[in-house]
């Protein structure tokens, strides 16, 4: 394993940037309704219906199997010696730091290793950079990371700023409450405090919910679970994939209500690197067919394993 | 006495129109003796009351300095150190990955024990001082902090990322609430210390006392001269005793107040003033150290911790107008001078090591940067900070000892003084009364 991997990551565990804004419960920084800086009106709808100009789940068609062509962005990454990936460090089973050995693991992380393997022949040639939800787009746009694998919903508002791969996971937003809560869906949370991360589509969906819950924004999903356990929020609402990871950490919680949004996950890449988007789509396509996607799903999400989300390409 | 409506008798002036001197002149010797007796008794009592009051004011100032403000300031600083170290230690324990190293666990527990014990003694010393509010905050939130750290450990031991979230929460509580409260305790205690020290050493009250002493002495002297002229007795034993008692109380007061003033000013100049300056520098250094770790931990492209480090470095110095230079100046000529100067030198070396850490980290050599910041080594930034912190702690301990011995000596110089001046004033009253009533009796 590349030593960079764990070493870059281990410290991220702590405090990260969240600390600067993280204050004690009750302080304005944590509990104030979230700033809406990321929430353009279009983003408030998780998956707007495809319009004439935007079909969110359609990505660039790969040119055959993954291949590092000279002069491509992949060749630059290979010359650098490692892929730089922006990932989550606190979302159990998708991207989280395993405290047992200080390594990042999860379904998202598997995707990154597969891409590194396609470039280098070695899945561990990766420098992971743990980022929070609201840093995903800026990190991709600035070129600080080559790719973001971070339970990230593809939508039209985001497509204006960054490119996405084809869909590699289908999620939908639901509600998590404590086992003894009478709440059965988002409709029952009017006027109650509901937690999600800053810069996520989930917080926008909470805000847009007809029952008018009070959105509470924090840096990481585990921060939401801390607030729920301390009684500072009545519920957490986000993708069922993420909620399942929270239930796994606290058996005194349950997921309730139907999916009230569709959250197709894509890997985020700069719009300047369309060759890399095609390359990643080729890797994903191979994973869909050679059983690697299913193996990773079975390991991190569980069985039965559904069919992988089909690739949908721009014409 | 004045019969309004009755015509005044020829040759007499209505009493209301007479001045005291005329009244005195018009009164016969027994009347004058009676007046003198009353005047001297009142003056002696006034002297006793004022002298005792001044002494009690100064004694309470001195005992406030020794028993409240200085210990409180020191406790506030110790609490800050312990909590800051607890935060850094837990961060390192999680940084290590895998099973938490036992040495770090012990160090964290020692920090919490230290903070709790200092908090208890500070609360006992504080009473109703302004620091009480901050101490209450510390008492209320310290268990919350410790609880969150334990929850973080429990989750961590289960292999769940939730542990990191609890640690973030705990660290935010420590840095956002506990550390500022501890810093404010020290700042409030320092202000209280200068007020109490001023009360124990200030000049105005002593001048009032001096004026009263001169008046009493003058009246006693004039009374004895007048008695000598009118009664042709060479000495009045009662008044003599009163005079001696007066002189003794004045001498005792002058010597005690002088000694206390010298002791307390010395305690301040060579004790509490350098200690406060050194503690301020130490708190700034602890904060910069935390910034350094957090910059390493934070990989989100946010340079706010590094920006804060540079701000604190600028405040800490050494250099004109900086905390370290102020501390070195304040400690000049004290036992802590050597350690303070060493601290200033180490700070410069630490900044150089910090720049090396940043340059490594900024150039993608994160692993080497962490090693330089956390492992022991002559030019490693973590080790240099530990040396800086150690030098400041030694300087603080040395000057604190100076303060303690001087301030205690000063406070003890007041022993028995308050009771003494009261007893001496009563002796003056008794002397005057006895001396004059004997003369009065001769007119009956």
């Amino acid at each position: 394993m590349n030593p960079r991997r764990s070493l870059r990551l281990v410290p991220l565990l702590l405090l990260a940037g969240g600390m600067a804004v993280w204050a004690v419960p009750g302080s304005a920084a944590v509990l104030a309704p979230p700033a809406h800086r990321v929430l353009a009106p279009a983003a408030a709808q998780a998956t707007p219906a495809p319009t004439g100009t935007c079909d969110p789940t359609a990505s660039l068609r790969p040119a055959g199997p993954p291949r590092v062509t000279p002069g491509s962005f992949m060749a630059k990454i290979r010359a650098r010696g490692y892929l730089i990936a922006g990932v989550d460090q606190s979302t159990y089973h998708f991207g989280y730091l395993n405290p047992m050995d200080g390594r990042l693991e999860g379904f998202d992380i598997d995707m990154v290793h597969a891409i590194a393997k396609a470039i280098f022949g070695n899945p561990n040639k990766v420098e992971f950079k743990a980022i929070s939800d609201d840093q995903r787009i800026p990190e991709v746009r600035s070129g600080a990371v080559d790719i973001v694998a971070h339970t990230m919903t593809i939508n039209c508002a985001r497509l204006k700023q960054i490119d996405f791969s084809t869909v590699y996971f289908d999620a939908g937003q639901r509600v998590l409450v404590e086992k003894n809560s009478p709440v059965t869906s988002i409709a029952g949370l009017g006027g109650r405090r509901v937690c999600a991360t800053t810069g996520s589509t989930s917080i926008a969906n909470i805000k847009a919910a007809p029952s008018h819950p009070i959105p509470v924004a924090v840096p990481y999903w585990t921060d939401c679970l801390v607030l729920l356990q301390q009684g500072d929020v009545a519920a957490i609402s986000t993708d069922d994939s993420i909620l399942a990871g929270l239930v796994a950490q606290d058996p005194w919680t349950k997921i309730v209500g139907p999916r009230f949004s569709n959250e197709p996950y894509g890997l985020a890449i700069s719009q300047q690197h369309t060759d890399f988007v095609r390359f990643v789509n080729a890797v994903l396509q191979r994973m869909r067919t050679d059983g690697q996607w299913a193996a990773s799903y079975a390991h991190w999400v569980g069985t039965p394993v559904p069919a992988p989300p089909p690739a949908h390409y721009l014409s | 006495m004045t019969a309004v409506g009755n015509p005044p008798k020829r040759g007499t002036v209505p009493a209301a129109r007479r001045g005291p001197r005329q009244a005195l002149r018009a009164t016969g010797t027994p009347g004058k003796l009676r007046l003198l007796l009353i005047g001297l008794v009142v003056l002696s009592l006034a002297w006793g009351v004022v002298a005792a009051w001044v002494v009690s004011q100064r004694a309470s100032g001195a005992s406030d300095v020794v028993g409240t403000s200085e210990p409180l300031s020191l406790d506030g600083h110790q609490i800050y150190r312990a909590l800051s170290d607890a935060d850094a230690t837990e961060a390192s324990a999680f940084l290590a990955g895998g099973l938490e190293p036992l040495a770090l666990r012990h160090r964290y527990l020692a920090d919490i024990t230290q903070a709790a014990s200092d908090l208890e003694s500070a609360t006992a010393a504080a009473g109703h001082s302004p620091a009480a509010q901050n101490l209450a905050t510390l008492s209320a939130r310290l268990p919350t902090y410790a609880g969150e750290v334990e929850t973080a450990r429990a989750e961590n031991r289960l292999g769940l990322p939730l542990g990191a979230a609890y640690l973030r929460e705990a660290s935010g509580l420590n840095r956002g609430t506990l550390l500022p409260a501890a810093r404010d305790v020290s700042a409030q205690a320092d202000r209280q210390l200068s007020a109490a020290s001023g009360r124990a050493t200030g000049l105005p009250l002593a001048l009032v006392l001096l004026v009263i002493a001169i008046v009493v002495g003058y009246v006693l002297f004039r009374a004895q001269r007048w008695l000598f002229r009118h009664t042709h007795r060479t000495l009045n034993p009662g008044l003599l005793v009163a005079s001696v008692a007066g002189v003794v109380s004045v001498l005792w007061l002058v010597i005690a107040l002088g000694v206390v003033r010298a002791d307390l000013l010395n305690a301040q100049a060579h004790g509490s003033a350098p200690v406060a300056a050194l503690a301020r520098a130490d708190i700034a250094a602890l904060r910069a150290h935390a910034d350094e770790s957090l910059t390493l931990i934070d990989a989100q492209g946010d340079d706010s911790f590094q920006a804060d480090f540079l701000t604190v470095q600028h405040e800490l110095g050494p250099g004109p107008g900086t905390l370290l230079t102020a501390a070195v100046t304040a400690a000049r000529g004290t036992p802590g001078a050597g350690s303070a100067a060493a601290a200033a030198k180490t700070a410069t070396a630490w900044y150089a090591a910090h720049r090396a850490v940043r340059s490594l980290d900024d150039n993608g050599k994160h692993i080497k940067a962490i090693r330089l910041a956390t492992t022991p080594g002559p030019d490693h930034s973590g080790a240099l900070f530990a040396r800086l912190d150690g030098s400041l702690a030694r300087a603080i301990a040395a000057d604190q000892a100076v303060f303690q011995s001087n301030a205690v000596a000063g406070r003890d110089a007041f022993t028995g003084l308050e009771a003494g001046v009261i007893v001496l004033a009563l002796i003056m009253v008794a002397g005057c009364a006895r001396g004059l009533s004997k003369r009065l009796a001769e007119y009956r």
Side-chain angles (χ1 to χ4, degrees):
Chain A
M1 180 187 128
N2 184 339
R4 302 191 71 90
R5 183 182 174 214
S6 62
L7 287 163
R8 185 78 205 176
L9 280 171
V10 167
L12 306 178
L13 165 77
L14 287 170
L15 323 172
M19 200 164 126
V21 291
W22 182 269
V24 291
S27 85
V30 175
L31 301 180
H36 300 132
R37 57 202 169 96
V38 190
L39 311 180
Q45 292 215 309
T47 48
T51 64
T53 54
C54 173
D55 176 3
T57 59
S59 184
L60 296 169
R61 188 179 294 277
R67 210 165 58 81
V68 179
T69 45
S72 67
F73 186 59
M74 292 74 80
K76 271 191 200 155
I77 295 171
R78 189 183 269 175
R80 185 205 291 140
Y82 52 91
L83 176 71
I84 306 175
V87 296
D88 201 343
Q89 62 175 339
S90 68
T91 300
Y92 208 26
H93 297 158
F94 275 78
Y96 75 99
L97 193 65
N98 185 340
M100 295 300 196
D101 54 11
R103 294 170 59 172
L104 276 170
E105 298 172 357
F107 191 75
D108 284 345
I109 308 296
D110 280 0
M111 300 296 129
V112 175
H113 283 308
I115 293 158
K117 183 153 194 279
I119 299 173
F120 296 100
N122 177 349
N124 291 322
K125 295 238 174 202
V126 184
E127 180 177 322
F128 286 110
K129 186 171 183 188
I131 57 176
S132 59
D133 284 18
D134 59 341
Q135 292 171 318
R136 295 178 294 193
I137 293 173
E139 289 283 307
V140 168
R141 284 175 63 88
S142 72
V145 299
D146 303 327
I147 191 165
V148 159
H150 198 301
T151 58
M152 191 170 188
T153 302
I154 307 169
N155 64 34
C156 290
R158 288 174 173 171
L159 274 167
K160 286 185 181 140
Q161 306 179 67
I162 52 175
D163 270 354
F164 281 100
S165 69
T166 52
V167 179
Y168 70 94
F169 191 90
D170 263 321
Q173 187 161 350
R174 294 181 68 190
V175 170
L176 178 104
V177 291
E178 300 214 279
K179 270 250 164 86
N180 60 0
S181 168
V183 171
T184 54
S185 74
I186 188 81
L189 287 166
R192 310 284 300 278
R193 298 160 60 79
V194 179
C195 186
T197 61
T198 311
S200 61
T201 50
S202 310
I203 195 90
N205 291 341
I206 293 170
K207 197 178 180 323
S211 56
H212 297 299
I214 301 166
V216 176
V218 295
Y220 299 104
W221 291 112
T222 41
D223 296 338
C224 275
L225 189 52
V226 170
L227 292 191
L228 184 76
Q229 288 184 350
Q230 298 184 336
D232 287 333
V233 297
I236 303 169
S237 180
T238 182
D239 310 342
D240 41 14
S241 47
I242 296 170
L243 294 181
L246 297 181
V247 171
Q249 295 184 73
D250 183 352
W252 291 100
T253 58
K254 61 180 178 186
I255 300 173
V256 297
R259 276 190 179 187
F260 59 95
S261 75
N262 289 314
E263 311 286 341
Y265 290 169
L267 303 168
I269 295 163
S270 164
Q271 288 175 339
Q272 292 168 357
H273 302 143
T274 51
D275 53 349
F276 191 42
V277 177
R278 289 180 201 276
F279 178 87
V280 167
N281 282 340
V283 175
L284 288 178
Q285 191 50 40
R286 198 165 65 186
M287 290 178 79
R288 285 187 189 97
T289 51
D290 70 0
Q292 222 185 316
W293 186 93
S296 191
Y297 189 102
H299 187 255
W300 294 115
V301 187
T303 47
V305 179
H312 178 32
Y313 299 115
L314 291 161
S315 45
Chain B
M1 177 162 168
T2 52
V4 180
N6 289 353
K9 286 182 186 153
R10 179 189 295 261
T12 62
V13 183
R17 285 198 212 147
R18 283 186 266 162
R21 275 179 181 279
Q22 287 163 306
L24 204 60
R25 217 169 286 138
T27 320
T29 306
K32 284 180 182 170
L33 275 172
R34 214 170 279 129
L35 275 174
L36 190 60
L37 173 62
I38 293 166
L40 278 173
V41 166
V42 167
L43 268 175
S44 300
L45 283 175
W47 161 252
V49 166
V50 172
W53 181 68
V54 168
V55 168
S56 86
Q57 282 294 304
R58 301 204 144 210
S60 98
S63 85
D64 189 359
V65 165
V66 177
T68 304
S69 9
E70 170 71 7
L72 198 53
S73 169
L74 214 63
D75 284 338
H77 182 232
Q78 291 299 341
I79 294 169
Y80 190 101
R81 283 177 62 90
L83 290 177
S84 179
D85 195 66
D87 192 35
T89 303
E90 272 311 300
S92 310
F94 272 62
L95 230 155
L99 191 58
E100 181 183 38
L102 198 59
L104 293 180
R105 175 67 183 160
H106 287 158
R107 183 165 168 172
Y108 165 80
L109 288 175
D111 282 334
I112 293 299
T113 307
Q114 177 74 45
S117 132
D118 288 333
L119 185 53
E120 197 189 337
S121 70
T123 307
H128 297 290
S129 70
Q133 181 68 43
N134 282 311
L135 290 168
T137 302
L138 283 165
S139 294
R141 303 313 297 270
L142 183 60
T144 312
Y145 169 71
E148 284 169 357
V149 168
E150 296 312 315
T151 308
R153 289 185 69 241
E155 301 289 354
N156 211 41
R157 288 212 146 200
L158 290 172
L160 302 176
L162 185 58
Y166 268 99
L167 188 70
R168 246 190 334 265
E169 167 111 354
S171 180
L173 174 60
N174 193 338
R175 289 171 64 88
T177 304
L178 299 182
L179 290 183
R183 196 183 51 215
D184 288 353
V185 166
S186 277
Q188 282 159 336
D190 284 343
R191 280 197 291 279
Q192 199 183 333
L193 177 65
S194 11
S197 190
R199 244 184 321 139
T201 58
L203 283 174
L205 273 181
L207 290 177
V208 170
L209 205 57
L210 187 67
V211 168
I212 295 180
I214 288 168
V215 170
V216 174
Y218 177 74
V219 172
L220 264 175
F221 168 72
R222 286 294 295 261
Q224 286 177 78
R225 202 176 64 172
W226 181 81
L227 269 181
F228 176 71
R229 284 185 187 159
H230 282 73
T231 61
H232 306 291
R233 306 263 171 135
T234 45
L235 278 174
N236 179 311
L239 288 186
L240 193 66
V241 166
S243 303
V244 170
V247 168
V248 168
S249 67
V250 166
L251 282 178
W252 190 357
L253 268 173
V254 166
I255 291 169
L257 292 187
V259 165
V260 170
R261 187 175 151 80
D263 277 344
L264 286 186
L265 289 182
N266 195 35
Q268 199 174 1
H270 296 104
S272 60
V275 165
L278 288 160
R280 276 194 292 274
D282 194 36
I283 282 176
L286 286 162
R287 186 171 132 192
H289 175 59
D291 284 334
E292 181 174 69
S293 316
L294 291 169
T295 307
L296 280 175
I297 283 162
D298 173 42
Q300 304 195 4
D302 172 5
D303 64 349
S304 62
F305 292 119
Q306 170 62 6
D308 193 60
F309 181 97
L310 293 176
T311 309
V312 178
Q313 175 186 338
H314 189 71
E315 285 169 16
L316 186 58
T322 61
L323 292 170
L324 268 175
T325 301
V328 169
T329 312
R332 196 161 288 152
T334 71
S339 298
K345 259 196 218 111
T346 310
T348 311
W350 178 38
Y351 301 148
H354 173 77
R355 281 192 295 276
V357 168
R358 290 313 317 144
S359 140
L360 282 173
D361 193 34
D362 291 342
N363 290 304
K365 294 177 176 132
H366 196 64
I367 169 175
K368 283 189 179 159
I370 286 191
R371 197 177 296 151
L372 191 59
T374 55
T375 57
D379 55 350
H380 289 197
S381 89
L384 285 167
F385 164 75
R387 226 166 79 196
L388 166 64
D389 185 45
S391 294
L392 287 172
R394 272 193 300 283
I396 287 171
D399 287 354
Q400 170 60 19
V402 172
F403 170 85
Q404 194 64 23
S405 61
N406 277 286
V408 168
R411 183 193 58 183
D412 292 350
F414 278 126
T415 311
L417 182 54
E418 191 176 350
V421 291
I422 291 173
V423 168
L424 285 167
L426 290 176
I427 290 173
M428 287 166 71
V429 169
C432 294
R434 184 162 170 76
L436 291 179
S437 55
K438 266 197 165 171
R439 292 286 81 76
L440 261 173
E442 289 166 0
Y443 289 91
R444 283 186 189 142

